[in-house]
Amino acid sequence: MLALIRKSLTEKGGALRLAVVVAAPAAVAAAFVATAGWLSPDRLTPVTFMRDFHAVDGSHPGFRRNHAKGVCVSGWFDGSGAATPLSRAALFGKERSQVVGRFALAGGAPNQPDAPGKVRSMALRLMPTNGAEWRMGINDIPVFLVRNAADFSDFTLATAPVPGTGQPDPARIGAFLDKHPETKNALGLLKARALTSGFANDTYNSLDAFLFVNAEGGATPVRWTMVPEQTVEPPAAGEGGQDYLFDDLLKALAQGQLRWRLMVTVGEPGDPTADPTAAWPEQRRKVDAGTLTLTKAESEDGGPCTGITFDPLILPEGVAPSDDPIPAARSAVYSRSFTLRSDETKPPSEITPAAVRSGGQ
Amino acid sequence: MRSVESFPISARVLHWLMATMILAMLFIGVFMAATVGPVYHTLVDLHRPLGIAILLLALVRLANRFLFRAPPLPDTLPPALKFAARASHVVLYALMIAQPLVGWGMLSAGAYPVTMWGGASLPPILPYDTALFATLRHLHSWLAFSLFAVVLAHLGAALLHGLVLRDDVFPSMTFRRGNGE
Ligand code: HEM
Ligand code: HEM
Ligand code: HEM
């Protein structure tokens, strides 16, 4: 065969043909490497965000890279039927879907102390009988802080503690805010929000916009809010303690059910869907899509919320992404966080099975 | 032109259709795994059903492969290379079946819905187990890189036959007139 190759090389154009044999696979390989981003270290990838969270909160193997401190809950969701004209998702009909959820504090530190002003979150996995599940992660702030993934990464890094002081560098944060008035504005709204005494009487917002698609194929932009049926109270004076927010939640669930209404805000033409830092006008129509009932808490250790990710793009038929760029970024980044932590040995969570058994006492 | 013994038309159609699909999937895969842009969701939504389509076509192709005798390789090839050629084809078959199964299996183990088109989804094929999810997610990357490496070698070999050796191997897989008859 080598003889054949040598012979071919002596023919006219033979060298060129041999060059093609080598160059074609090399070109395909180069295109592959470029597509994978191995030649562009500055490309924003899920790994970039893993590094960002690491820069802010350090390394906590086995835990979620963000919203690391949390507790599992479960219960059900009863659709009211009122959202059916907007979305054909089965769970909006008059039926019950089982729910696994998680309450958490924003931030990558799994042992951070609770405090009234820290951002609290509710994550839900709604599992209707037809199997078309819906996952969401929603926060108790009025708008999101940034418009897109690149800004999220820059802002996260700007808030990273600097060596020496162990505190974020105000100059770096200031420089970011000067370039991003929308973040400055969002931070103002966040600081001005009415705090409540705990997880149980807090209000959680989707922040991101999605589309509800009905049986006729009509799409409506929506955002939504979980509004507590529990009496809303301001933080009690002098409240504190390492885990007081979680302990209060465990106490409340040990005593009885907790309920929220899923209020869907119906967007109108011109309402910004691609910008989660921009609030929609207050007077938008709200649809009471159903009631969430939570009955039980469990520690992350052994609980049903640990080995899943609340990927906001796991949507039932009848709910679709909008042009909001944040959910796709979240989907990609949560998948990486989930893969990494699934491969690591997790130390015990702050909220232990014993704490849950004692009902937060 | 001298007539050469070809693969049957069914094998040739399947070969080129699947070559296109598999190369597209490899590029879609590495791109989507390294982006946080809005296209991430679009590509993952395409990646799942396209991958399952490859699995189904690969099974049809494997069954089809037992129905005919492949054209013999030319005697100008040393036995070691003949063996390498056959072994590489076996590896290609193994990977084009294993890779989509691993993709499906990893989503099953990670409790992700395996969504296809129009709201339809496939049942899980593995039990829910997050350590298994992580292992399969890494395996999905390594199998993809192996598949890509073998495809590159295969491409180089095909071009060597077609452009330099100019034996019967390349035309046996193409659609030039006079093929197969
Ligand atoms: C580009 C922006 C964002 C990034 C990079 C990001 C990143 C993350 C990561 C890595 C996790 C851990 C996921 C896991 O391991 O399962 C997480 C959890 C979470 N995120 Fe985000 N996030 C972003 C935006 C948002 C927004 C806009 C919201 C709210 C509307 C949100 C709400 C949540 C919630 C509630 C959780 C906790 C889920 C749970 O309890 O398991 N995130 N985020
Ligand atoms: C993803 C890409 C590809 C895959 C998975 C693949 C797979 C295979 C397999 C399994 C065979 C054995 C015959 C069969 O059972 O069908 C084969 C044969 C062949 N392939 Fe490919 N192929 C790919 C791309 C290509 C490309 C890009 C070329 C040419 C430029 C090519 C040229 C050939 C030729 C000439 C044969 C015949 C070999 C012989 O006679 O034994 N293939 N391919
Ligand atoms: C021949 C078929 C397939 C090929 C060639 C392929 C290829 C790839 C590649 C190259 C990656 C990127 C790996 C990395 O860079 O780490 C990937 C990721 C992935 N694939 Fe596949 N795949 C196939 C089938 C499937 C199937 C059938 C499914 C699911 C039903 C699937 C689901 C996924 C998922 C979920 C990811 C990860 C996305 C992420 O990291 O966020 N793949 N695939």
Side-chain angles (χ1 to χ4, degrees), chain A residues 95-301:
Chain A
E95 65 164 65
R96 177 165 289 187
S97 304
Q98 292 306 306
V99 171
V100 165
R102 183 170 177 271
F103 285 100
L105 291 184
N111 303 92
Q112 59 175 312
D114 293 357
K118 286 191 175 173
V119 175
R120 303 167 208 163
S121 67
M122 169 193 269
L124 299 173
R125 178 188 189 194
L126 278 60
M127 297 169 283
T129 44
N130 78 343
E133 62 175 88
W134 187 13
R135 298 192 196 172
M136 66 176 80
I138 57 183
N139 289 351
D140 76 337
I141 52 176
V143 289
F144 198 49
L145 295 177
V146 292
R147 284 193 174 136
N148 54 50
D151 292 351
F152 185 94
S153 178
D154 290 348
F155 186 56
T156 305
L157 280 183
T159 63
V162 288
T165 67
Q167 293 295 316
D169 176 359
R172 239 184 125 183
I173 298 181
F176 182 89
L177 294 181
D178 287 344
K179 267 195 284 167
H180 295 278
E182 74 281 8
T183 303
K184 204 173 200 164
N185 180 54
L187 278 173
L189 294 173
L190 189 149
K191 290 209 180 86
R193 78 192 193 278
L195 299 177
T196 74
S197 60
F199 281 111
N201 58 8
D202 210 348
T203 300
Y204 304 90
N205 293 306
S206 76
L207 310 180
D208 289 310
F210 290 78
L211 300 176
F212 275 10
V213 184
N214 64 19
E216 288 75 47
T220 316
V222 297
R223 287 175 177 175
W224 62 83
T225 300
M226 282 287 182
V227 180
E229 287 193 355
Q230 289 67 243
T231 316
V232 176
E233 286 165 13
E239 244 201 305
Q242 168 74 10
D243 301 323
Y244 87 93
L245 286 170
F246 287 95
D247 288 342
D248 286 355
L249 175 70
L250 297 178
K251 269 179 222 146
L253 279 169
Q255 274 156 27
Q257 305 179 344
L258 296 174
R259 285 146 68 90
W260 281 261
R261 303 240 130 181
L262 171 55
M263 301 302 294
V264 175
T265 306
V266 182
E268 285 179 17
D271 288 345
T273 49
D275 182 359
T277 67
W280 285 357
E282 202 41 59
Q283 65 273 21
R284 287 291 170 266
R285 184 160 74 94
K286 308 260 194 309
V287 175
D288 180 347
T291 307
L292 169 72
T293 305
L294 297 179
T295 58
K296 184 178 167 191
E298 280 168 89
S299 166
E300 278 191 322
D301 298 336

Side-chain angles (χ1 to χ4, degrees), chain B residues 31-60:
Chain B
F31 184 76
M32 74 187 191
T35 183
V36 296
V39 70
Y40 172 77
H41 182 61
T42 317
L43 291 180
V44 180
D45 263 5
L46 176 68
H47 188 89
R48 284 184 307 255
L50 202 55
I52 297 298
I54 289 173
L55 174 63
L56 295 177
L57 285 173
L59 295 175
V60 169

Side-chain angles (χ1 to χ4, degrees), chain A residues 1-2 4, chain B residues 73-79 81-82 161 165 167-168:
Chain A
M1 194 186 72
L2 282 176
L4 274 174
Chain B
L73 289 165
D75 288 330
T76 44
L77 276 192
L81 277 185
K82 279 193 186 176
H161 282 288
L165 302 176
D167 54 22
D168 290 350

Side-chain angles (χ1 to χ4, degrees), chain A residues 33-53 149-150 152-154 157 328-337 340, chain B residues 29-37 40 137:
Chain A
V33 165
T35 307
W38 297 336
L39 303 175
S40 23
D42 290 338
R43 184 152 124 199
L44 218 54
T45 74
V47 176
T48 319
F49 290 82
M50 299 300 102
R51 277 194 225 115
D52 295 350
F53 289 123
F152 185 94
S153 178
D154 290 348
L157 280 183
R330 293 173 64 189
S331 184
V333 174
Y334 292 21
S335 139
R336 182 59 48 114
S337 171
L340 292 180
Chain B
V30 290
F31 184 76
M32 74 187 191
T35 183
V36 296
Y40 172 77
R137 176 64 189 80

Side-chain angles (χ1 to χ4, degrees), chain A residues 335-336, chain B residues 25-26 29-30 32-33 40 47-48 51-52 54 99-100 103-104 106-107 114 137 140-141 144-145 147:
Chain A
S335 139
R336 182 59 48 114
Chain B
M25 280 291 280
L26 287 164
V30 290
M32 74 187 191
Y40 172 77
H47 188 89
R48 284 184 307 255
I52 297 298
I54 289 173
Q99 177 68 352
W104 185 358
M106 85 192 178
L107 292 182
V114 190
R137 176 64 189 80
H140 197 64
S141 299
F145 301 147
L147 175 57

